[in-house]
Amino acid sequence: MSSFKQEPHKLLVIPGPIEVADEVLYANAHPSMSHMSADFVPVLGDCIRMTREVLYTTTAQPFIIAGSGTFGWDQVAANLTEPGDSVLLLNSGYFGDNFTECLRAYGAEVDEVRANFGAAADLGEVAKALNAKKYKLLAFTHVDTSTGVLSDAKAIAETVKRVSPDTLVVVDGVCSVGSEEIRFDAWGIDVVLTASQKGLGTPPGLSILVAGQRAIKAYEARTRPVASYYGSWKKWIPVMQAYEKGSAAYFATPPVNLIYAYHASLTQITKGSPSLEERFALHRQASKRVKDAVAALGLKQLPFDSAFAANGMTAVYFPEGIKASDIVPRMLQKDVVIAGGIHKDHKDEYFRIGHMGITVANPERGDIDKIISALKESLAEAFASKKSA
Amino acid sequence: MSSFKQEPHKLLVIPGPIEVADEVLYANAHPSMSHMSADFVPVLGDCIRMTREVLYTTTAQPFIIAGSGTFGWDQVAANLTEPGDSVLLLNSGYFGDNFTECLRAYGAEVDEVRANFGAAADLGEVAKALNAKKYKLLAFTHVDTSTGVLSDAKAIAETVKRVSPDTLVVVDGVCSVGSEEIRFDAWGIDVVLTASQKGLGTPPGLSILVAGQRAIKAYEARTRPVASYYGSWKKWIPVMQAYEKGSAAYFATPPVNLIYAYHASLTQITKGSPSLEERFALHRQASKRVKDAVAALGLKQLPFDSAFAANGMTAVYFPEGIKASDIVPRMLQKDVVIAGGIHKDHKDEYFRIGHMGITVANPERGDIDKIISALKESLAEAFASKKSA
């Protein structure tokens, strides 16, 4: 362990990227290494194994590739759908819209079960849709960061198993892996895709996807070639398997430093303290603290039904007469970086606070207190400034 | 400038990733920043501007995206070809084979002018092919790291302008940008694609592509939608233009830390000492020193004709009776990391040494001396061990 300390900086509490531990940043500054070297091979191999641990799966195949979370959608579309294949997408916001657009770009026929703004898709409607038509796969955004809506992954997977057991269950876990519990094997999930910069506590730049054996079989059974080169599992499966077994293989140069960083973060998450279970509990507790504090300030939140509230972020409506430019810059003056809205029809109505990773897993940092007190002060200042105007 | 010093490590002189400066690694350990923040926006904006400078272009559009060099092929295939479009590919090795495979994965009809092993494609044959058939684009690997062959980008572009001026000229510059001079505007090149981890002196994980206005127009004139989502210029052009103009835009989260690192390296390359012109001259000088030393040791080199020899790497045949396991581990014992062969038919016959970036631009490091003396000793030890066996 080095004594590296990152530069003093504003507290970054948007729904990703998130605050990154000194050890992880130091790993990102690792001297340049050959991607084929005996030193690096086990680092990627360990990342593959630890990615499985985070999702409680023993048999699924992880893919760790240079790219953003978005690239996971392309992997799903290119490897698991063929033009004309039917997909059911449960749309709970901005990221649902875009996942649908990606699937259609590859020729899939996408039907949507659209949730109301600030709600998750209705499971009765989902069951009805699955009954009415045969879908090759069902996909949903686990946490749509545009609305703070957490979909019930376990219940959705159960519904699929009951109504249409051959349909693959694909989870966009970009803003949930590492901050929300996902029991890949136990719940019967087929694919989880995510990125490095949220609950996984690593700088952005890694597309991380985990495909269960049913998904791999569906990919193997396709009749047309994969509609991508860089995203083709045909290329990546042998590479991932080789690194896991301890030998190098080449398709495209892996982002070596980011993989060192991811390794450092995964080691904290899977082997450190708090344990993985405790980590999820800490996310729930921190989320409750933030949401209670926001409610105590008299502010409305998204989602409207707290049963669908994500544990890694909070979306808050501006009160009457107050807008983003009254709050976000005042938070910034207090060294706290929050995010504006992103939903296409409502983006000016609310702001977003992220609380994932070390911000919640290392409570001695005091990040949650800092967020709450900065928000309280910023809001008071904003109201005072309106009154005096 | 910080006093950060990277950990002691073996000298990495493969044809990429390469040795990375302390300042660049320190930038890669930058505290987490919002990709939408006023602090980060000009960093990506500057990277876009400095990428143009490295290629001597004033009007082309750079794309800086999380991915590997390989992903640049997908961008070309998905945005600039439609199924059935004709492409002429000048194949000088392993990377030519794979670029062809990528183009075909997107439905392009690819004809190849194949060079002999260790040579560049014959310009007469290229002209003949361009005369015989109308090609939408011609593509070639500027430096094929499997053979060390440097294709003459200027002469190829001239041939295209003369014989088939509407054909787009696409350069795979993964192992040439930053180490070989490329005059994008003056030579009439339409696309250069590259990656961060070679002549650009940054850790791997960035796909960097520069498209001239003719290429952008060809993309705009396509009749079918782009066959990719993550790689679609429709998504990325507005993002790149926004950042360059000084405001944030969102499509997929950029790899923020790698962009800080790329910024640090580009600042050295375009604003530091040596100048860009001097940098290319230093690559030529260092290359000559390595190649002369290899010749003085009695070893044969690839390419056979030194007129086609890359300046950022040297490919060397093992002498009679000596193989990779006699040399590569002995170099490693001397803290010098070199690479084996990669060409599919000849990979066990040769090894490769990279000499790019700070290894040549900062001669005070003594890297070239270290490479040459380690090679001399390793070879002597290998011969001695054979004799005594």
Side-chain angles (χ1 to χ4, degrees):
Chain A
M1 200 62 64
S2 96
S3 58
F4 175 82
K5 291 265 171 254
Q6 60 189 297
E7 298 266 341
H9 62 282
K10 295 184 170 63
L11 180 68
L12 185 64
V13 284
I14 62 175
I18 68 167
E19 286 288 316
V20 170
D22 291 333
E23 294 81 359
V24 176
L25 288 178
Y26 189 64
N28 212 34
H30 196 286
S32 229
M33 297 290 287
S34 168
H35 50 298
M36 308 295 281
S37 69
D39 291 323
F40 175 68
V41 167
V43 177
L44 180 46
D46 284 348
C47 285
I48 293 168
R49 285 180 282 271
M50 289 190 284
T51 298
R52 274 200 204 94
E53 286 182 49
V54 172
L55 292 170
Y56 301 98
T57 177
T58 54
T59 58
Q61 177 60 58
F63 296 85
I64 301 168
I65 304 177
S68 85
T70 299
F71 177 62
W73 296 342
D74 284 70
Q75 284 190 65
V76 168
N79 291 285
L80 291 179
T81 75
E82 302 187 43
D85 278 354
S86 291
V87 174
L88 185 65
L89 192 128
L90 318 193
N91 187 325
S92 53
Y94 177 95
F95 292 90
D97 291 345
N98 289 12
F99 198 171
T100 289
E101 190 184 351
C102 175
L103 288 157
R104 286 182 179 150
Y106 285 85
E109 301 286 335
V110 185
D111 295 331
E112 292 190 330
V113 175
R114 292 186 75 88
N116 291 327
F117 178 63
D122 179 77
L123 278 181
E125 278 186 59
V126 172
K128 214 171 113 186
L130 289 170
N131 254 321
K133 188 166 162 184
K134 180 92 181 169
Y135 290 99
K136 181 158 183 195
L137 63 88
L138 171 148
F140 64 97
T141 319
H142 196 191
V143 171
D144 199 303
T145 62
S146 74
T147 54
V149 169
L150 169 68
S151 290
D152 186 340
K154 187 183 176 192
I156 292 168
E158 277 171 1
T159 303
V160 177
K161 299 302 156 215
R162 184 166 47 78
V163 184
S164 179
D166 291 340
T167 301
L168 298 173
V169 178
V170 174
V171 182
D172 172 350
V174 168
C175 198
S176 76
V177 173
S179 58
E180 309 284 355
E181 191 176 64
I182 302 177
R183 300 267 175 179
F184 194 100
D185 290 350
W187 296 353
I189 289 168
D190 296 298
V191 173
V192 171
L193 63 97
T194 190
S196 47
Q197 78 275 10
K198 306 206 183 199
L200 293 171
T202 306
L206 290 179
S207 165
I208 298 153
L209 185 146
V210 177
Q213 291 306 318
R214 287 207 327 159
I216 298 290
K217 282 205 181 68
Y219 146 75
E220 287 168 346
R222 43 185 305 129
T223 58
R224 294 161 65 135
V226 173
S228 172
Y229 184 73
Y230 183 60
S232 173
W233 291 353
K234 186 178 165 196
K235 298 295 180 184
W236 286 112
I237 288 172
V239 171
M240 293 297 143
Q241 290 180 341
Y243 276 87
E244 186 165 9
K245 282 181 193 143
S247 61
Y250 178 72
F251 167 55
T253 305
V256 175
N257 287 52
L258 271 171
I259 288 169
Y260 274 102
Y262 184 44
H263 188 274
S265 190
L266 281 174
T267 302
Q268 293 185 346
I269 291 171
T270 63
K271 317 272 182 271
S273 170
S275 70
L276 192 54
E277 277 77 8
E278 287 163 353
R279 174 172 292 263
F280 295 129
L282 284 167
H283 277 83
R284 289 190 294 269
Q285 288 159 24
S287 180
K288 188 169 185 317
R289 275 198 64 205
V290 172
K291 287 171 174 64
D292 286 352
V294 166
L297 288 167
L299 303 179
K300 281 197 303 176
Q301 292 174 49
L302 270 170
F304 307 120
D305 181 346
S306 65
F308 299 122
N311 293 298
M313 63 170 290
T314 299
V316 186
Y317 273 94
F318 293 112
E320 185 84 27
I322 301 287
K323 52 190 190 302
S325 56
D326 298 315
I327 297 292
V328 177
R330 286 193 167 92
M331 294 290 282
L332 211 53
Q333 279 164 15
K334 294 164 189 55
D335 289 344
V336 177
V337 182
I338 60 171
I342 188 178
H343 191 282
K344 69 180 181 336
D345 301 325
H346 303 272
K347 67 183 161 67
D348 297 327
E349 300 167 16
Y350 66 105
F351 62 96
R352 301 175 300 152
I353 301 167
H355 29 78
M356 289 177 264
I358 57 175
T359 281
V360 304
N362 300 24
E364 71 282 5
R365 291 171 52 98
D367 290 358
I368 300 295
D369 293 325
K370 189 169 179 181
I371 294 167
I372 292 172
S373 69
L375 182 60
K376 212 173 281 189
E377 289 168 35
S378 298
L379 201 64
E381 289 167 20
F383 278 123
S385 141
K386 293 288 157 186
K387 264 186 200 153
S388 68
Chain B
M1 202 61 67
S2 96
S3 58
F4 175 81
K5 291 262 171 257
Q6 61 190 296
E7 298 265 341
H9 62 282
K10 295 183 169 67
L11 180 69
L12 185 64
V13 284
I14 63 175
I18 67 167
E19 285 289 315
V20 171
D22 290 334
E23 294 81 358
V24 176
L25 288 178
Y26 188 65
N28 211 33
H30 196 286
S32 228
M33 297 290 287
S34 168
H35 50 299
M36 308 295 281
S37 70
D39 291 323
F40 175 68
V41 167
V43 177
L44 179 46
D46 285 347
C47 285
I48 293 168
R49 284 180 282 271
M50 289 190 284
T51 297
R52 273 200 206 94
E53 286 182 50
V54 172
L55 291 170
Y56 300 97
T57 176
T58 55
T59 58
Q61 176 61 58
F63 296 85
I64 301 168
I65 304 177
S68 85
T70 299
F71 177 61
W73 296 342
D74 283 70
Q75 284 189 65
V76 168
N79 291 284
L80 291 179
T81 74
E82 303 187 43
D85 278 353
S86 290
V87 174
L88 185 65
L89 193 127
L90 319 193
N91 188 326
S92 53
Y94 178 93
F95 291 91
D97 290 344
N98 289 12
F99 198 171
T100 288
E101 190 185 351
C102 175
L103 287 158
R104 287 180 178 152
Y106 285 85
E109 301 286 335
V110 184
D111 295 331
E112 292 191 330
V113 176
R114 293 185 74 87
N116 290 328
F117 178 62
D122 179 76
L123 278 181
E125 277 186 60
V126 172
K128 214 172 114 185
L130 289 170
N131 255 321
K133 187 165 161 185
K134 180 92 180 165
Y135 290 100
K136 181 158 184 194
L137 62 88
L138 171 149
F140 63 97
T141 318
H142 196 191
V143 170
D144 200 303
T145 61
S146 74
T147 54
V149 169
L150 169 68
S151 289
D152 186 341
K154 188 183 178 192
I156 292 168
E158 277 170 1
T159 303
V160 177
K161 297 304 157 216
R162 182 167 49 78
V163 183
S164 178
D166 291 341
T167 301
L168 297 172
V169 178
V170 174
V171 182
D172 172 350
V174 168
C175 198
S176 75
V177 174
S179 58
E180 308 284 354
E181 192 175 61
I182 302 176
R183 300 265 174 181
F184 193 100
D185 290 350
W187 297 352
I189 288 168
D190 296 298
V191 173
V192 171
L193 63 97
T194 189
S196 47
Q197 77 275 10
K198 306 206 183 197
L200 294 171
T202 306
L206 291 178
S207 164
I208 298 152
L209 184 145
V210 177
Q213 292 306 318
R214 288 205 329 158
I216 298 289
K217 283 202 181 69
Y219 146 75
E220 287 168 347
R222 42 186 303 129
T223 57
R224 294 159 66 135
V226 173
S228 172
Y229 184 75
Y230 183 60
S232 173
W233 291 354
K234 186 177 166 197
K235 298 295 179 184
W236 287 112
I237 288 172
V239 171
M240 293 296 142
Q241 290 180 341
Y243 276 88
E244 185 165 9
K245 283 182 191 141
S247 60
Y250 178 72
F251 167 55
T253 305
V256 175
N257 286 53
L258 271 171
I259 288 170
Y260 274 101
Y262 184 44
H263 188 274
S265 189
L266 280 174
T267 302
Q268 292 186 348
I269 291 171
T270 63
K271 317 271 181 271
S273 170
S275 70
L276 193 54
E277 276 78 6
E278 287 162 354
R279 176 172 291 265
F280 296 129
L282 284 167
H283 278 82
R284 289 189 294 268
Q285 288 159 26
S287 180
K288 186 167 186 318
R289 276 197 65 205
V290 173
K291 288 172 173 63
D292 286 353
V294 166
L297 288 167
L299 303 179
K300 281 197 303 176
Q301 291 174 49
L302 270 170
F304 306 122
D305 181 347
S306 65
F308 299 122
N311 293 298
M313 64 170 288
T314 299
V316 186
Y317 273 94
F318 294 111
E320 184 84 28
I322 301 286
K323 52 189 191 301
S325 56
D326 298 315
I327 297 292
V328 177
R330 286 195 167 90
M331 294 291 280
L332 210 53
Q333 278 164 16
K334 294 165 188 54
D335 288 343
V336 177
V337 182
I338 60 171
I342 187 176
H343 191 282
K344 66 181 184 335
D345 301 324
H346 303 271
K347 69 185 161 67
D348 297 328
E349 299 167 17
Y350 66 104
F351 62 97
R352 300 175 300 152
I353 302 167
H355 30 78
M356 290 176 264
I358 57 176
T359 281
V360 303
N362 299 23
E364 71 282 5
R365 292 170 51 97
D367 290 359
I368 300 295
D369 293 325
K370 188 169 179 182
I371 295 167
I372 292 171
S373 69
L375 182 59
K376 210 173 282 187
E377 290 168 33
S378 297
L379 202 64
E381 289 167 20
F383 278 124
S385 140
K386 294 286 157 186
K387 263 187 204 154
S388 68

